[in-house]
Amino acid sequence: MSTNTSTEKSAIRKAYEWHEARLPLVNWLDHNLGTKYPVPRNLNYWWNFGAIAMFMLGVMIASGVFLAMNYTPHVSLAFDSVERIMRDVNYGWLIRYMHANGASFFFIAIYIHILRGMYYGSYKPPREVLWWMGILIYLVMMATGFLGYVLPWGQMSFWGATVITNLFSAIPWVGESIVTLLWGGFSVDNPTLNRFFALHFLLPFVIVALVFLHIWALHVPGANNPLGIDAAPSDKIPFFPYFVVKDVFGLGVFILIYFAVVFYAPNMLGHPDNYIKANPLVTPAHIVPEWYYLPFYAILRAIPDKLLGVIAMFGSILIMFVLPWLDKHPVRSANFRPVFRVFFAIWVVNAVMLGWCGSQPAEGIALILSRIGAFWYFAHLIIVLPLLSWLETPKPLPVSISQSVLKAAE
Amino acid sequence: MKKIILAAAAALALSVPAVPSSLWAASEIKIPEEKWSFNGVLGKFDRAQVQRGYQVYKDVCAACHGLQYVAFRNLADLGYNEAQIKTLAAGYEVDDGPNEEGEMFKRKAKASDRLPKPFPNEQAARAANGGAFPPDLSLITKARAGGPDYIFHLMMGYEDPPADVQMMPGLNYNKYFPGHQIAMSKQISDGLVTYADGAPNDAASISKDVSAFLHWAAEPKLEARHSTGLRVLLYTLMFTIVAYLFKRRLWKNIPH
Amino acid sequence: MANTAHGHAAAAAGETRRDFLLHTTVAMGVVGTGMMIWPLIHSMNPAADTLSLSTTEFNLSGLTEGQRITIVWRGKPVFVAHRTPKEIEEARAVNIAELRDPQTDESRVQKGKDQFLVIEGACTHLGCIPMGVKTTEPHGDFGGWFCPCHGSHYDTSGRIRKGPAPLNLHVPPYKFTTDTTVLIG
């Protein structure tokens, strides 16, 4: 029996080697996500969210493809086809709730991933291009999420699409023409829905391509770590099995929360008005975007001028491209920058507050707070960070990761 | 760090059942929460209650409100058998055609037909209702903040307007309707319908029954969702525990 | 010595525990993924509304002798033929043993309603719709139906007689609900 197994194995081995010599897939995976990819041993659980975000991208594409098989991108049929998915298609309710809430959880993972990068200075040299690829992914995600929200053709879909496309009308001279081009008509209508569906299907694959570039750019300098100092080879352990298993555990915890929402509060993050079919003649009393856009929506509404509001809103994301040059402090990790740490915390609280403002009608205290919040959002990036890069004295850095890790182990 | 994440995750997971069905439910009008058999992790529809609710819908609401996404065959969920559904459906006429002569014709409804609409279109509905449009009810509990609680309290919320409120002609004062002035007049009163099962038929019970029925109409897969969810969550929990034990074992001798 | 042996045993036990955890994690992960994929696959099967439309009722009283018509069942054509006595006789005169798909004419119609032939209008070769419903169309060499795609000839009982099709035209499940009404499906 043993001889038999060994000859069989060698036949499989031969076939594997034959294939690998022609297309070294396994070798490639091993170098990029396997035993030959060395990772700093001191990564903490905040580093799980890259893998979690990738998993969510997979969930979104898989559930989305099967939803598309039952969805009809036509103004008179879209809402009905979604209801048919919810009522008649086998497990359609599950696939749709996974997709709708999956968008929220994808954004949760991405926001934690971004904030982790900002806290530990992962955007600093030599990882600037890695950071850029991340911002591009985030921008395409926002576009994809917006396009997808239009597809069920409920009241929020329709009026969200109307409001967001109208942002482009703020552009001088050509704005109106651009909006007409986006609509394919003179209002959000069937051509708009049709093209939004096509683009919503396309963009996730653009994200996949950008994720490849993001990971490629990650593997050139290697991963940052909580200490923010460069890792020596002896400080690193293979990605597989150590971090794969750690990611799987983290993913399990994340999925538990995700499933709890999918199965027990699937409409918690949605808006009731989107269960009313789109009506181009009636605007809902209070239009709000999905929660993940709220801080930016607050910035838009904080500024009373249309064009400046739009510029501020897009600027609030685009400014992230120059973050590595706004914060030029040589120390990466906020663990060794006590002052930056405090300002970072204030900035995060400020962003959450902006989110709350975005969910409220633009009046009274919410409007005042959103003005303060929008100001601080930019002031932190443009004034505080450059000043801190110049003035802040960091705490002493450990000599190496090993030294720090062994000291902690004592 | 590890502890913080775990604590945050646990807090989030625990808080999920406690949050309202929508983050936006917090409107100016506070809607009291009712007890429903379908709430909770193992919540199910009370078959007798939703059947009574269907009777209320059929005898009262259906005169003005459609239920366009519900087909007669769906009534099997409420506990009706095939023969009962056929009989129920045969009580309605639906449009069909064209036949061989090219004429549209009426025929008895079949199990596969959707419940017939009370008005052929919005214009006809408005014309028959003094300009107001009675909305379709198939998604009403999901399309209104507060869900079934809102529907129940709306049914029960008719009152005399406060002295300082100037009522628009033809509108009625309702404590729970946004803006408080609603075109629909009070519909549900004590003894409005009589139930075959002898269940109480005071206005509150009738309103409760019809709200439960409408929640079934809006979310017919609720029971499958609850039972599948419990199994999926238990499995994921076990998987996560095993993955954690494995991770701990694997990292035992790696200082990090 | 005893210490070393104890150490080895502990290490071995540790390895066993590690392997057990590894295998459990992988197995549960694979099974869990499989369970998540099933709903996606199953969503491609006919939905509840599609399944509920699986019957079609048809009134035969307007169908005169010699006439054939096409009705739609589950989105596909079904041929209903009111056969002449001559057509029935032809169908029953055939030597069953010589047929590619041996079936008697009696087994393809309902007793007492021998004049009515109800068959699915999809050629058993590759699914084209055979011609022969209208009198002006070719009926094939056996007076029944002729599939123009690859030249299959069917007789007046809808049985394959010549050409590439392997089987007779299918008889759908149907019953007479009244003397003149037929319920297909």
Side-chain angles (χ1 to χ4, degrees), chain A residues 390-408:
Chain A
W390 181 35
L391 295 173
E392 186 177 11
T393 317
K395 290 202 252 177
L397 292 170
V399 178
S400 72
I401 291 174
S402 306
Q403 189 215 36
S404 161
V405 161
L406 292 175
K407 203 192 286 173

Side-chain angles (χ1 to χ4, degrees), chain A residues 159-171 175-176 179 182-183 188 306 310:
Chain A
W159 292 100
T162 302
V163 168
I164 300 299
T165 48
N166 264 313
L167 290 177
F168 293 92
S169 70
I171 302 168
E176 292 295 335
V179 173
L182 290 175
W183 287 342
V188 173
K306 183 173 172 180
V310 173

Side-chain angles (χ1 to χ4, degrees), chain B residues 44-148:
Chain B
K44 282 178 158 46
F45 293 110
D46 172 348
R47 291 291 181 286
Q49 183 180 45
V50 284
Q51 286 202 9
R52 294 195 299 269
Y54 172 56
Q55 185 189 336
V56 178
Y57 166 76
K58 193 163 56 118
D59 295 352
V60 184
C61 319
C64 300
H65 294 280
L67 212 51
Q68 60 170 327
Y69 294 116
V70 177
F72 289 104
R73 65 187 156 84
N74 298 136
L75 297 173
D77 292 359
L78 305 187
Y80 294 104
N81 63 35
E82 208 177 317
Q84 287 171 312
I85 290 170
K86 270 194 171 163
T87 319
L88 271 170
Y92 294 84
E93 283 205 320
V94 293
D95 292 314
D96 201 348
N99 60 14
E100 292 95 299
E101 285 84 43
E103 308 282 334
M104 301 304 283
F105 59 93
K106 294 259 185 203
R107 62 162 170 81
K108 282 183 180 167
K110 294 191 279 196
S112 59
D113 288 313
R114 303 268 185 88
L115 300 194
K117 297 180 187 178
F119 304 104
N121 51 52
E122 183 177 336
Q123 286 78 356
R126 285 192 190 277
N129 288 283
F133 177 49
D136 186 88
L137 296 183
S138 0
L139 282 164
I140 202 77
T141 65
K142 290 204 291 193
R144 296 289 182 276

